[in-house]
Every structure is written in C-alpha cells, then in structure tokens.
Amino acid sequence: MPFKRFVEVGRVALVNYGKDYGRLVVIVDIIDQNRALIDAPDMERSQMNLKRLSLTDIKIDIKRVPKKKDLIAAMEAADVKNKWEKSSWGRKLIVRKRRASLNDFDRFKIMLAKIKRAGAVRTELAKLKKTAA
Amino acid sequence: MAAKQRTKRVTRNPDLIRGIGKYSKSQMYHKRGIWALKAKNGGAFPHHDPKPKPEAPAVKAPKFYPADDVKKPLLNKHKPRPTKLRASITPGTVLILLAGRFKGKRVVFLKQLPSGLLLVTGPYKINGVPLRRVNQSYVIGTSTKVDVSAVNVDKFDDKYFSKEAQKKKKKGEGEFFEAEKEEKNALPQEKKDDQKTVDSSLITAIEGVPELKAYLGARFSLKSGMKPHELLF
C-alpha cells in the first residue's frame, strides 16, 4: 500500500505529545530526518520531532517558512478549521472533549436521554416485527 | 491596642544602608527639636511623675516553693474557628454524600455551621435526607447549583442538632427490658415543621429546573469505565 500522507511543507498535523497536545499545526519547513519546523496561528514557530506529530489529510498551499499573516491567509483560503471539524477524526476529538467536560448533572441527563431513545427504538422495532410476522 | 487615629510615623533619619542613618546623634537631637522642648520647659526635658498606682493587696509569702523550677506553659492565643470551606461549596450547591446512611445521595447544601459541619437537606420529600449535619471531608461538591435565596436558615445551629441528655436510669432487671422498648424517640413536631418550611421553597426552585428533581432523587455510583480522577463533578 502506498503512503498517502507525506511530511511536506504545508502538511497540517496534530500534536500528539507534549505541552501542545491536541493542537493543529502546519509543517512549514523540514529540518532533518527527524525534525520539522511547525507553526500555527496562535503559537510561536518552533521545531518539533516528527514522532510528536500525527499527519492529517489536510494540506495547504504555502511557500517554505511563510510569514505569519501569509500562513493565516493560506489557512483561511484552504478553510482548514472547517475541514478539520467536519472530518471524522476531528469530529471524534470534539465528542471526546465534550464528554470529558461533562458535569455530574449532565451525565445524569444523558443517561435519561439514552434510556428514552432506546425505548423509542424498541417500540418501533416491536411494531415492525409485528407487521413482518 | 486602642484604635486611635494616628498619623504614620515618619523617620527624619533616612537610611544610607540598613543600620546606618544619614544623620548623627547630635544632628538628630537638633532635628527633633529637643532643644526647643527643653527651652519651653525651662532647661530640662519635660518629665511627668507616674500616676499613683492603687495599692496592691499585700501578698503573703507562699507556704510551699517547688524544689526545681516549674516551667510555665507557652501562651496560646488561637481562637477556634470553623473549618475552611472549599471554594466549590457555596449555598445551594448540590453535594454527593460519600459515607454514612445516605451515601451516594445527592443533597442540597444550605450553610456552614459554627462547628464547621455543613448543614444539608435532601429535600426530604425528594430523597429522604432530612436537615442534617455532614462533614466536609465526606462530600463531593458538584458544580450544579440550586437557588436557595428563598430559604431562611438562620435558626439552625449546632445546638439544634444535639442529642437530648439521657436521664439516669436505675438498673433493675425487669425494668431494663421495658426501658429498651421506650428508647425509641419520636421526632418532635417542631422539627418536622422546620423541615417542611425549608423544603417548600427549595422544592419550587428545584422543580423550575428540568430533570433536577429526578437527579436529586437518584443515588450516585461509579459505573464501569468511570475514572474518578478524570471526572468533572
């Protein structure tokens, strides 16, 4: 199977270890076999080991080491934020974050909602079974 | 110390370095104007005789002196104060009780009593927890709040909850067994009425929030996969 996501200038990646865990960054330059220069609109440009990055499908069109406002403009043009939030990986992360921030009361309300939904599904299923039989 | 309105003491002798002032002793004498005070008083610094002290009663020599020096205990000026209340616990917070008869019950916090214990109520109609005292250490404070502004809890303090002093009973064999049966104390009507007044305004506030009543009626328990150190309460 060929590789599909490459480490290249413009590749959007997710930091998966360290202080910036969970942040979306763009690779703006490659330092050597193990390290890349990364940048994001709300952080200082810095180097990071490629082992700390998980590559995503998203790629933006930038030159090597663009200025901050060029980077931001390119990210807007490629609509990185929306693409990420619509992607299934991005959606899973959002759900995980929401679940982690739940209150005890929220968890109770969710339990009631789940029971209600399961009840509705079961009555529909029973109806369908009855007509099929 | 008497709370007199005093102007802050200003030194006329600034420090060059800590411990060394700019002006010498004689220069300071002149700056403070001691010469002027002396001149006003006719050559000597004004001196007031001490007020005559009332005569202390004559103390008899003690009969007994201890052989070795007796140590005096150190002075302790600590005043007792109620335990520091966690910032997450404010009046109206829903608490989860962790121990005792009502463990797992979700309960409304009313106020902290002078002993440091927390005054808490179910409300009784919702989950069977009456007005009760609870220790802060055996409680999880959730971030859910109920509106308790309509509730008046001023009359409750630690004396309200104290046990009644047991009358001394003479131990007679036959009487002993009868006494055991009569031990069951019924709650005085006054306490039942207090419970009702506190709960009535609380319950109207609770019913205003959807599903809060069922929430307070249910017990908390850890299910599979729940990690307490990762849960947000």
Side-chain angles (χ1 to χ4, degrees), chain A residues 86-97:
Chain A
K86 285 203 203 88
S87 74
S88 71
W89 184 0
R91 278 183 285 137
K92 273 187 267 177
L93 286 192
I94 289 173
V95 168
R96 223 181 281 167
K97 207 189 240 180

Side-chain angles (χ1 to χ4, degrees), chain B residues 92-149:
Chain B
T93 313
V94 173
L95 307 174
I96 301 178
L97 301 179
L98 296 174
R101 190 166 161 220
F102 299 106
K103 53 176 155 300
K105 292 269 192 199
R106 295 167 173 125
V107 126
V108 178
F109 169 67
L110 297 174
K111 76 169 185 181
Q112 184 181 32
L113 300 168
S115 65
L117 298 172
L118 312 180
L119 176 64
V120 128
T121 182
Y124 186 69
K125 268 263 155 86
I126 296 182
N127 54 19
V129 180
L131 279 164
R132 201 168 203 265
R133 293 184 300 173
V134 134
N135 189 315
Q136 202 192 156
S137 306
Y138 298 96
V139 136
I140 295 180
T142 64
S143 53
T144 318
K145 312 263 184 231
V146 176
D147 184 18
V148 281
S149 49

Side-chain angles (χ1 to χ4, degrees), chain B residues 137-175:
Chain B
S137 306
Y138 298 96
V139 136
I140 295 180
T142 64
S143 53
T144 318
K145 312 263 184 231
V146 176
D147 184 18
V148 281
S149 49
V151 182
N152 186 349
V153 277
D154 293 335
K155 69 179 285 211
F156 302 112
D157 65 345
D158 293 292
K159 274 202 287 285
Y160 181 90
F161 293 99
S162 63
K163 288 209 179 79
E164 276 158 35
Q166 292 282 3
K167 281 183 286 183
K168 274 206 166 179
K169 292 210 174 101
K170 287 243 175 90
K171 260 202 242 173
E173 276 212 27
E175 294 165 351

Side-chain angles (χ1 to χ4, degrees), chain A residues 100-105 107-109 112, chain B residues 96 106 143-144 211 214-215 218 232-233:
Chain A
S101 72
L102 285 177
N103 201 343
D104 189 43
F105 188 26
R107 267 175 261 134
F108 181 79
K109 285 191 268 192
L112 292 184
Chain B
I96 301 178
R106 295 167 173 125
S143 53
T144 318
E211 296 176 336
Y215 175 63
L232 273 184
F233 286 98

